[in-house]
Amino acid sequence: TLIDKEAGSRVVIDVAGGNTVKEMWVKAGGLTKNIMHKNGGPWMAPWANRLLMTALKDGTDLKALLDDPDLKGLLTIDKETDKGVITRHGIVRKARWKLEGRGSDERGAYLTSSFDSADYPAIHKYFKEFKITITYRLKAGRLKMEINIRGSGKMGLAFHPGFAGQGRVVIPAAKRWENDDNLMPFPREPIPVDDSGFDFRSGSQNQ
């Protein structure tokens, strides 16, 4: 748990459960409340969104991951299609991360944790070598994440927070990926968010 006494805020992080931000308590309107959804804010890697468990162009057959005992309980099946099984949200959001350190300094309270693909032979086999290190910092009622990724593996990383109640959401993204009916990203370049319902650069009210 990270505590900011001056701002009256605290953040609960489940390092053993995917390094997920479980709770974030802040002062608003004279009250202290948890602004996180019950699912918290998990991390998704080595892929985000959906992934079809099939053979890749380099010959890697991802179908074998579905039966690998090393990944039991870590994969989430989204649906089965005529092209194969689709999984979602990667592997690391249910995995045990390693606590690297915690404390406080002039930049606030902090907690550092990491995920190393070498700790999971199946992940290392199919996605090669990578290590994700994340430092959470809480100061002045704001939570920041410092992310470091090292290695030569094939991977992507995404943060998937859910918020409770009302608030203003700002996402400084100028482009977005398009998805098909199964929420699978199309294999093409992202498109601009201008003049669309996906432009959150100036903020959007969360109801």
Side-chain angles (χ1 to χ4, degrees), residues 169-175 193 199-203:
V169 178
V170 178
I171 304 175
K175 295 183 178 182
V193 298
D199 189 351
F200 302 108
R201 288 173 292 183
S202 297

Side-chain angles (χ1 to χ4, degrees), residues 40-196:
W43 292 95
M44 303 183 295
W47 69 89
N49 202 3
R50 272 71 173 169
L51 181 66
L52 180 64
M53 310 305 280
T54 187
L56 303 181
K57 291 182 179 180
D58 64 2
T60 303
D61 191 355
L62 296 180
K63 289 185 291 184
L65 286 171
L66 297 170
D67 300 317
D68 196 302
D70 187 44
L71 302 181
K72 186 177 182 180
L74 299 184
L75 285 170
T76 300
I77 304 299
D78 186 67
K79 64 172 64 176
E80 294 188 21
T81 70
D82 56 352
K83 294 182 179 180
V85 175
I86 295 176
T87 60
R88 58 186 168 91
H89 299 346
I91 298 173
V92 306
R93 71 189 183 101
K94 297 180 181 179
R96 178 181 293 274
W97 289 49
K98 179 182 177 181
L99 179 64
E100 299 280 2
R102 61 189 306 173
S104 61
D105 54 26
E106 68 280 358
R107 298 170 61 194
Y110 67 86
L111 181 149
T112 300
S113 49
S114 66
F115 179 91
D116 193 334
S117 66
D119 295 331
Y120 290 85
I123 298 178
H124 194 270
K125 176 181 178 181
Y126 292 99
F127 297 95
K128 308 306 179 185
E129 176 187 359
F130 66 85
K131 182 177 181 180
I132 308 166
T133 302
I134 297 175
T135 296
Y136 294 97
R137 289 189 177 274
L138 179 64
K139 186 174 184 180
R142 294 186 176 186
L143 179 65
K144 295 182 178 181
M145 294 89 156
E146 300 169 356
I147 303 169
N148 181 279
I149 302 175
R150 294 182 179 273
S152 57
K154 301 173 289 186
M155 62 86 65
L157 176 69
F159 184 52
H160 193 343
F163 299 101
Q166 297 183 353
R168 184 166 174 264
V169 178
V170 178
I171 304 175
K175 295 183 178 182
R176 69 177 182 89
W177 297 101
E178 292 183 287
N179 298 326
D180 63 18
D181 292 339
N182 290 318
L183 299 182
M184 289 280 295
F186 287 117
R188 58 195 185 207
E189 292 297 313
I191 63 173
V193 298
D194 304 87
D195 302 319
S196 73

